[in-house]
């Protein structure tokens, strides 16, 4: 049974679709009075290769238009055979054993273990069962010997893996063994609020101590953090801040000797609306604008529906700002509909809707026009707007100004009422160097007008600080840029991102992003080239100091977080050779002068002056030769870097 709960003015008709096609209603499927879809004998029919599985959505329609629900994926439960079975092994007494099995089922199977066909008890702290089919036994004893197998079960079936023999040998005299990580953390992608388990099991003599850290140096924290067994890290109720590279270290007690293993945890977040479209009523021939802004990880993609069908831009329908703004001009009866904004990413979907209606009267006041905002000081702003025509003024009883920090949710919005005869207002007690979003509504006895256009302005007090960012090379022609957002809303109005191919002098491809966006993918770059990335945070007071970073597309991986200063990473070139020659000549002349001074003062000693200069610029801090481990010889005609310059002064009798 699939529910479809709808609210609105009746009568409302509910229909269902599977994979975009209408669901046949008959003996096997029916729609109940409350809109619920009932499918009897849900199955896959072998004779026709048809199945009831697929993506379902419901459509609700009344006289104003049609709404489409989010999709629900329905799958047929099954449990196949194990594709990885535990393997027999021999372990020294006191050592560590690790058995593993894998099976893919729908829904995900629960995995337990048997020893000698008896369910394994987990009361012994030496036994650790991880949910994805791993059994760890530390401090192995002779009594642990036996035949082990996995048992997987879900609502569809129960499966048994092959059997594996665990043999425990009598421990020889204990000799020193270096720490060894038997199994380290694997790369893992989860959604917020899920639980992440990063495995780390190590052996050695004496038994190593397992510890965890983050590669970026940030604290792992304690809330929601738990250690399973002797070293597995469990993060409950994961948040976006838990994303990162985790390092498992196995340390020999009392020494600095250790072994490490790394695993990346990616926490994704489904789309969440920052601003959703509002229903409007407009006279025929006028215009309407719908705004839809969403955030999530990865960045959501926005699409629009009109009465349940994908909206196609036309002469009077425009989509701008990465589909976040829908503008309908020269409104006709054909434009009267329900418009839906759907935000999608790999973590989920979200949707919001608004209705465009053609108003038959002009009793409500028109939206105020020509709204302007001017900063007066670091804590105050002045807002002005155009007075309406006299015949309209009589119907207005007052105005209401709406203000909030850029990036704050609507729930944080503040409102201030203004007299009908006042066409300016001053906001005070604001925060310095902070960007604010302001709009205005006019009120009559019948209700409020539509909101005016929104203005963005910044109080005086300075420009934003340099943003920190890092890059991830996706392939030889694309990279992804991530940057940190300010801790408080309103600190930035937006970001400007530009790049240039080294050695070009002009930046290209500048893009502007609002203050809540913190990632962008740059593609269609020159293969294996070196690019300089420039990021600037700005507000109404101007641009902050630019942060730059050099990135080589020949090197994969993620660069370290920028510390806010410009990072200079270049390939070794002839310029480096010339620099080395100039530095060598200057220091050589200094050595000669110094030696002559010694002779003039009568010292009878030999003086040795040696200069060994080598200039090397590396891209992304990788080991080996720069630019993907390629080392270039100095170009002909430019000379070589002098490896040593030696002067010898003989004693003079």
């Amino acid at each position: 049974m699939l529910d479809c709960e709808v609210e609105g003015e009746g009568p409302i008709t509910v229909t269902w679709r599977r994979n975009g096609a209408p669901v046949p209603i008959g003996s096997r499927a029916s729609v109940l009075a409350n809109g619920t879809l009932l499918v009897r004998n849900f199955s896959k029919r072998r004779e026709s290769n048809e199945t009831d599985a697929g993506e379902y959505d419901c459509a609700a329609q009344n006289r104003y238009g049609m709404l489409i629900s989010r999709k629900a994926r329905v799958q047929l439960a099954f449990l196949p055979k194990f594709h990885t079975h535990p393997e027999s092994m021999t372990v020294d007494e006191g050592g560590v054993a690790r058995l593993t099995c894998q099976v893919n089922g729908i829904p995900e199977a629960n995995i337990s273990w048997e020893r000698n066909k008896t369910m394994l008890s987990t009361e012994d702290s030496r036994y650790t069962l991880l949910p994805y089919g791993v059994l760890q036994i530390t401090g192995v004893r002779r009594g642990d010997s036996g035949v082990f197998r996995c048992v997987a079960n879900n609502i569809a079936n129960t499966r048994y893996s092959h059997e594996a023999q665990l043999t425990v040998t009598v421990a020889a005299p204990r000799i020193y063994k270096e720490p060894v990580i038997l199994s380290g953390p694997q790369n893992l992608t989860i959604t917020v609020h899920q639980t992440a388990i990063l495995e780390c099991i190590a052996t050695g003599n004496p038994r190593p101590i397992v510890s965890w850290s983050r590669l970026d140096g940030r604290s792992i924290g304690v809330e929601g953090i738990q250690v399973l067994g002797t070293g597995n890290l469990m993060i409950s109720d994961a948040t976006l801040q838990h994303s990162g590279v985790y390092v498992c270290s196995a340390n020999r007690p009392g020494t600095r000797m250790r072994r490490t293993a790394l695993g990346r945890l990616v926490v994704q977040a489904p789309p969440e609306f920052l601003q959703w479209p509002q229903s409007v009523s407009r006279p025929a021939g006028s215009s309407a604008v719908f705004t839809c802004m969403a955030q999530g990880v990865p960045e959501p993609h926005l699409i629009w529906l009109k009465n349940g069908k994908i909206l196609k831009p036309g002469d009077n329908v425009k989509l701008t700002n990465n589909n976040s703004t829908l503008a309908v001009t020269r409104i006709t009866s054909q434009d009267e509909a329900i418009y839906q904004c759907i935000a999608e990413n790999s973590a989920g979907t979200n949707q919001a809707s608004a209705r465009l209606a053609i108003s038959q009267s002009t009793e409500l006041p028109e939206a105020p026009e020509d709204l302007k905002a001017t900063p007066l000081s670091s804590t105050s702003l002045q807002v002005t707007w155009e007075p309406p025509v006299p015949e309209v003024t009589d119907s207005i009883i007052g105005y209401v100004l709406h203000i909030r920090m850029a990036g704050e949710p609507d729930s944080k919005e503040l409102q201030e009422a203004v007299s009908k005869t006042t066409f300016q207002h001053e906001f005070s007690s604001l925060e310095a160097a902070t960007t604010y979003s302001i709009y205005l509504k006019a009120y009559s006895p019948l209700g409020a007008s539509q909101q005016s256009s929104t203005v963005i302005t910044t109080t005086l007090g300075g420009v934003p600080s340099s943003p920190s960012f890092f890059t991830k090379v996706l392939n030889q022609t694309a990279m992804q840029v991530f940057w940190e957002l300010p801790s408080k809303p309103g600190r930035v109005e937006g970001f400007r991102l530009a790049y240039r191919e080294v050695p070009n002098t002009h930046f290209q491809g500048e893009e502007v992003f609002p203050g809540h966006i913190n990632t962008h993918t740059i593609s269609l770059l020159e293969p294996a080239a070196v690019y300089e990335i420039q990021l600037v945070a700005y507000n109404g007071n101007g641009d902050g100091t630019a942060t730059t970073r050099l990135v080589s597309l020949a090197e994969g991986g993620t660069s370290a977080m920028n510390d806010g200063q410009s990072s200079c990473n270049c390939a070794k070139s002839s310029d480096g050779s010339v620099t080395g020659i100039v530095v060598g000549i200057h220091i050589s002349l200094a050595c000669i002068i110094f030696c002559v001074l010694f002779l003039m003062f009568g010292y009878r000693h030999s003086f040795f002056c040696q200069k060994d200069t080598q200039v090397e610029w590396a891209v992304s801090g990788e080991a080996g030769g720069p630019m993907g481990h390629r080392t270039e010889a100095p170009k002909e005609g430019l000379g070589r870097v002098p490896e040593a310059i030696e002067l010898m002064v003989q004693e003079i009798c």
Side-chain angles (χ1 to χ4, degrees):
M1 294 178 66
L2 297 173
D3 293 329
C4 183
E5 187 174 341
V6 184
E7 294 181 356
E9 183 178 328
I12 299 175
T13 303
V14 175
T15 57
W16 283 85
R17 300 184 302 180
R18 182 182 70 241
N19 299 330
V23 175
I25 302 301
S27 59
R28 299 193 63 256
S30 60
V31 179
L32 305 183
N34 61 358
T36 298
L37 175 66
L38 173 63
V39 180
R40 301 175 181 85
N41 300 321
F42 190 91
S43 64
K44 177 179 180 180
R45 294 171 287 285
R46 297 182 180 178
E47 62 277 3
S48 60
N49 202 30
E50 294 182 0
T51 177
D52 294 318
E55 290 188 335
Y56 286 77
D57 58 37
C58 72
Q61 185 170 13
N62 64 6
R63 66 189 184 94
Y64 298 115
M66 177 182 290
L67 275 176
I68 302 296
S69 72
R70 69 180 64 186
K71 291 181 173 60
R73 177 176 295 177
V74 181
Q75 297 174 292
L76 193 63
F78 73 99
L79 184 62
K81 296 180 180 179
F82 282 89
H83 60 86
T84 300
H85 297 268
E87 297 181 356
S88 298
M89 63 189 310
T90 301
V91 180
D92 290 338
E93 187 176 4
V96 175
R98 180 180 183 272
L99 299 169
T100 181
C101 63
Q102 289 183 345
V103 63
N104 294 327
I106 296 177
E108 184 177 349
N110 296 317
I111 297 179
S112 56
W113 287 82
E114 291 182 351
R115 180 164 63 87
N116 298 330
K117 297 186 178 181
T118 301
M119 189 64 65
L120 191 65
S121 172
T122 57
E123 294 180 358
D124 192 334
S125 61
R126 297 181 303 109
Y127 287 75
T128 302
L129 275 68
L130 301 184
Y132 45 85
V134 173
L135 171 62
Q136 299 173 350
I137 308 175
T138 57
V140 174
R141 303 169 183 169
R142 294 188 208 178
D144 296 323
S145 298
V147 176
F148 288 78
R149 69 175 180 179
C150 279
V151 181
N153 67 83
N154 64 8
I155 60 174
N157 204 348
T158 299
R159 297 281 189 181
Y160 296 90
S161 71
H162 296 166
E163 295 180 341
Q165 177 71 45
L166 174 62
T167 303
V168 180
T169 59
V170 177
R174 302 292 283 173
I175 60 175
Y176 167 74
K177 291 184 179 179
E178 290 188 358
V180 175
I181 295 179
L182 298 180
S183 182
Q186 303 296 312
N187 293 338
L188 181 62
T189 299
I190 61 173
T191 304
V192 289
H193 306 305
Q194 290 184 336
T195 297
I197 296 180
L198 301 176
E199 183 183 9
C200 188
I201 183 170
T203 185
N205 185 34
R207 179 184 298 176
I209 299 173
V210 175
S211 60
W212 286 89
S213 61
R214 288 177 59 113
L215 189 61
D216 57 11
R218 293 169 53 191
S219 171
I220 294 179
V222 295
E223 186 174 353
I225 305 299
Q226 183 179 351
V227 176
L228 301 179
T230 59
N232 308 290
L233 183 67
M234 183 172 75
I235 303 175
S236 303
D237 194 19
T239 66
L240 294 177
Q241 286 69 35
H242 286 121
S243 290
V245 177
Y246 288 78
V247 182
C248 163
S249 301
N251 298 72
R252 179 188 173 192
T255 71
R256 293 186 178 181
M257 179 176 293
R258 66 174 185 171
R259 295 289 184 269
T260 60
L262 286 72
R264 179 181 296 275
L265 174 62
V266 177
V267 182
Q268 298 183 338
E272 179 181 349
F273 285 110
L274 299 173
Q275 185 175 354
W276 46 87
Q278 303 290 325
S279 296
V280 295
S281 178
R282 291 285 187 267
S286 63
S287 301
V289 177
F290 298 100
T291 302
C292 180
M293 299 178 65
Q295 66 179 2
V297 179
E299 185 177 345
H301 170 68
L302 300 179
I303 61 174
W304 288 83
L305 303 181
K306 176 185 176 182
N307 283 340
K309 297 180 180 180
I310 294 180
L311 179 65
K312 296 180 180 179
D315 293 337
N316 72 321
V317 177
K318 304 294 183 184
L319 288 172
T320 57
N321 300 326
N322 292 326
N323 288 357
S324 65
T325 302
L326 167 63
V328 184
T329 59
R330 304 187 304 277
I331 294 174
T332 68
S333 59
Q334 300 297 321
D335 300 313
E336 194 170 27
I338 295 177
Y339 293 84
Q340 285 180 265
C341 172
I342 299 179
E344 298 179 324
N345 66 7
S346 56
T349 63
N350 204 346
Q351 59 178 292
S353 61
R355 177 186 168 217
L356 173 58
I358 297 180
S359 58
Q360 302 301 322
S361 65
T362 58
E363 294 175 340
L364 291 177
E366 291 292 326
E369 297 181 350
D370 201 22
L371 183 67
K372 297 178 181 178
T374 305
L376 300 178
S377 68
S378 61
T379 60
S380 62
L381 297 169
Q382 185 180 59
V383 182
T384 62
W385 59 95
E386 187 72 20
V389 294
E391 54 268 23
V392 175
T393 305
D394 295 338
S395 65
I396 294 177
I397 61 175
Y399 297 92
V400 174
L401 281 160
H402 301 250
I403 183 171
R404 62 184 173 92
M405 292 183 186
E408 278 191 327
D410 291 344
S411 59
K412 298 288 186 179
E413 182 181 86
L414 299 178
Q415 301 178 8
E416 292 197 18
V418 182
S419 166
K420 61 176 289 185
T421 59
T422 302
F423 307 107
Q424 67 178 28
H425 182 73
E426 182 176 324
F427 287 104
S428 58
S429 301
L430 304 178
E431 295 195 20
T434 301
T435 301
Y436 289 87
S437 171
I438 305 171
Y439 67 89
L440 177 68
K441 287 185 177 182
Y443 280 79
S444 73
L446 297 175
S449 71
Q450 297 300 317
Q451 71 178 52
S452 69
S453 59
T454 301
V455 295
I456 304 296
T457 190
T458 305
T459 53
L460 302 179
V463 297
S465 58
S466 300
S468 297
F469 74 94
F470 62 96
T471 58
K472 177 180 180 182
V473 176
L474 303 178
N475 53 52
Q476 288 197 336
T477 62
M479 72 177 80
Q480 195 167 11
V481 185
F482 306 84
W483 56 90
E484 287 189 344
L485 298 180
S487 58
K488 293 187 65 176
R491 292 308 184 196
V492 299
E493 184 176 332
F495 298 92
R496 293 189 178 94
L497 179 69
Y499 59 92
R500 68 179 180 91
E501 182 183 357
V502 175
N504 293 341
T505 57
H506 298 291
F507 283 91
Q508 65 189 69
E510 179 175 284
E511 297 202 39
V512 181
F513 302 95
H516 67 279
I517 299 297
N518 69 336
T519 181
H520 179 65
T521 299
I522 305 174
S523 57
L524 301 178
L525 302 174
E526 290 298 322
V530 177
Y531 280 85
E532 182 178 12
I533 310 301
Q534 175 178 279
L535 184 67
V536 177
Y538 69 89
N539 62 16
N541 299 324
D543 292 352
T545 303
T547 304
T548 60
R549 174 171 295 281
L550 287 166
V551 180
S552 170
L553 294 179
E555 297 287 348
T558 305
S559 71
M561 176 69 72
N562 199 326
D563 60 2
Q565 302 296 327
S566 296
S567 177
C568 184
N569 299 321
C570 308
K572 182 187 290 183
S573 65
S574 60
D575 293 340
S577 300
V578 173
T579 302
I581 293 173
V582 173
V583 173
I585 291 173
H586 286 180
I587 297 180
S588 300
L589 290 174
C591 290
I592 293 172
I593 294 172
F594 196 34
C595 293
V596 171
L597 289 175
F598 266 97
L599 289 175
M600 292 176 63
F601 285 102
Y603 284 96
R604 295 174 178 269
H605 298 284
S606 62
F607 179 80
F608 173 77
C609 179
Q610 176 174 309
K611 170 62 183 169
D612 188 358
T613 303
Q614 183 174 0
V615 179
E616 177 175 289
W617 289 3
V619 177
S620 298
E622 298 289 346
M627 292 296 292
H629 308 282
R630 295 180 296 173
T631 303
E632 299 180 3
K635 295 182 179 178
E636 186 176 354
L638 295 178
R640 292 181 176 272
V641 177
E643 294 185 353
I645 300 175
E646 185 174 293
L647 299 175
M648 186 67 70
V649 180
Q650 302 293 336
E651 289 188 349
I652 301 176
C653 298

